[in-house]
Structure formats: C-alpha cells, structure tokens
Amino acid sequence: MSDNMNDKNENLDKTVVRAPADGYTLLFTTSSTHAISPHLMPRLAYKADKDFSPIAHTADAASVLLVTPSLPVKSVQELIAYARSHPDKLSYGTPNSTSLVASETFKYITGTQITGVPYKSSPQALTDVMGNQIQMYVADLGSAWGTLKTERVRTLAVTAAKGSQLLPNVPAIGKTLPGFDITSWNGIFGPAGMPKAIAERINSELQLILKDKAVQEQLAQVGFEVWPTATPDEFALYVKEQLAKWGQLVKQAGIEAQ
C-alpha cells in the first residue's frame, strides 16, 4: 500500500468526517477509500459505512491488464498458459489497492504463481512493465491512457465484465475467466448526518453536469466513464454492496490486512 494512500486516509478523518454536514465540505473519492481500504487497513481513522453521507456515484474507471511487449503472449488465455508453465518466473506491479486485489484475484482464479512487487506510484509501475522489470501490471486507465496507443506495452484485456466504452476492441478478462469483474469507481460524499434535502440538491446538480457531453469527453480522457446514480439512497445502497463485494474479493484471494 502506498504512503500516499495512508496520507489520504488520514486526511479523510481530519477534513471531512469532522466537518459540519451542511453541504459546504464534500469529498470526491474512489472505491479505494470506501470499499477496499476498510478490508486491507482495519485500523483506519474513519468508518467508511458510518462517517459519511453518500451523495452521488459519478463515474466508473475500468483497469487494463498490461504485459511487457517481450512476453510471448497476446491474450489472457496465453498469459495463463505461460504463467502455469513458468511458475514464479513472472512478476506484477501493485501501486494501489485496486491493482493489488485485481492481480491477486487473477492469480487465485487461474491457480498461477506470479510474484507481486509493491510500488509507491502508478507511473513507476508503468515504466517498469515497459522495461520488463515486471511482466504484468493491472493499470488504471487514467495513468496508462497515453501509453496504450504505443508499442511500449501490450494491452490484453479490461477488468470490468461489461468491457469499456473507451476501449471497445479490448476484451474483458471475464470472457476468458467467467465471473471476473473488477471496476474502480468514483463518487461524492459529505460528512455523516447530512440532511436529505441538501444531499438530493447536490445530487441533482451533479446529474446536470454529468449529462454535459463536454464533461463526459473530458472525463473520458482520463479513463472515466460517467455512471451517475439517480438518488443519494441509490448510491448508498451501491456503496454498501461494493463494500461487501470487495471484502469477499480480499478474503477469497487471501490478501492479508496491514
């Protein structure tokens, strides 16, 4: 887990949790803080399911499975076969919790032995997969977007079962491994106890903003696909489901809490 994530988790407690629930202090965050970290870092300074008021799910951000170009594989099926025939010879980079869980889930489902290498940042992991210091990396589209169109990496698949509208010609891992479905998401929260009227007003304004084609295009350039929820209650239910889902993934893959 990166030091930046630890700092971010601490800042949530200081700047959002303790703020008045009047709509003037909002948190734009990801599934890392509200669905994954609670299972990987049990001593967090905040309670993801109690200290915040869910307001709106804004966008999804699929990740991509990348391999170094020198690796003799061109599909997920070929990667699995290669990894099985070369146990402990491949390594993957993991600069964040989403990448960690996705990579370990891949290993668990395929029964492969691939060594995890922790990184402090996504650019560093991306540089090393290009240079063959690591052979595999599940990267978020935002950090990898500019590299995908080059020959410095080979893109095998996206992690979301539904695929990605931003990469329509790239298959989902789930086509080879049924049930594989890992998608990062973004959303807006307020402090716990926010009046329903305020949460609904903010949500409705966000709905209008996210319908703007120019906004959608700008978000797409950093790997986000707009996916708003209709109401704060709908988002609250989604967050609850995601917290349970990621907990199951962490447990299934045998990832130890830190």
Side-chain angles (χ1 to χ4, degrees), residues 145-207:
W145 188 248
T147 308
L148 299 184
K149 301 176 183 179
T150 72
E151 296 182 353
R152 292 180 291 175
V153 295
R154 182 174 297 138
T155 306
L156 297 187
V158 296
T159 60
K162 64 183 180 181
S164 172
Q165 296 178 7
L166 305 179
L167 296 171
N169 297 320
V170 178
I173 293 178
K175 287 185 177 292
T176 302
L177 301 175
F180 192 103
D181 183 18
I182 292 181
T183 303
S184 179
W185 49 266
N186 299 319
I188 294 179
F189 296 78
M194 179 175 288
K196 186 174 182 178
I198 294 178
E200 290 179 341
R201 172 65 186 276
I202 297 171
N203 179 286
S204 64
E205 294 295 333
L206 284 168
Q207 298 288 334

Side-chain angles (χ1 to χ4, degrees), residues 27-89:
L27 171 69
F28 177 70
T29 191
T30 71
S31 47
S32 291
T33 62
H34 277 66
I36 313 175
S37 289
H39 304 291
L40 297 177
M41 305 169 65
R43 292 183 294 277
L44 287 173
Y46 64 90
K47 298 293 183 182
D49 57 344
K50 295 181 179 179
D51 291 340
F52 303 89
S53 295
I55 296 174
H57 178 186
T58 54
D60 283 347
S63 296
V64 285
L65 173 59
L66 307 177
V67 294
T68 189
S70 60
L71 198 66
V73 302
K74 294 185 177 180
S75 68
V76 173
Q77 188 172 5
E78 290 182 1
L79 174 61
I80 296 169
Y82 188 90
R84 285 175 176 168
S85 62
H86 297 80
D88 296 319
K89 297 300 183 181

Side-chain angles (χ1 to χ4, degrees), residues 180-242:
F180 192 103
D181 183 18
I182 292 181
T183 303
S184 179
W185 49 266
N186 299 319
I188 294 179
F189 296 78
M194 179 175 288
K196 186 174 182 178
I198 294 178
E200 290 179 341
R201 172 65 186 276
I202 297 171
N203 179 286
S204 64
E205 294 295 333
L206 284 168
Q207 298 288 334
L208 295 176
I209 294 171
L210 294 173
K211 287 180 180 179
D212 189 310
K213 294 297 182 182
V215 172
Q216 293 179 10
E217 290 174 0
Q218 287 182 322
L219 289 173
Q221 291 175 9
V222 289
F224 295 147
E225 295 180 51
V226 170
W227 199 266
T229 43
T231 66
D233 287 343
E234 183 180 327
F235 183 43
L237 178 60
Y238 178 80
V239 172
K240 182 178 180 180
E241 292 172 345
Q242 286 289 300

Side-chain angles (χ1 to χ4, degrees), residues 2-18 27 29 33-34 37 41-47 51-52:
S2 72
D3 294 336
N4 288 339
M5 180 56 70
N6 286 323
D7 292 342
K8 183 176 182 180
N9 289 331
E10 291 299 325
N11 287 337
L12 291 182
D13 178 56
K14 296 177 182 178
T15 61
V16 181
V17 175
R18 301 177 188 178
L27 171 69
T29 191
T33 62
H34 277 66
S37 289
M41 305 169 65
R43 292 183 294 277
L44 287 173
Y46 64 90
K47 298 293 183 182
D51 291 340
F52 303 89

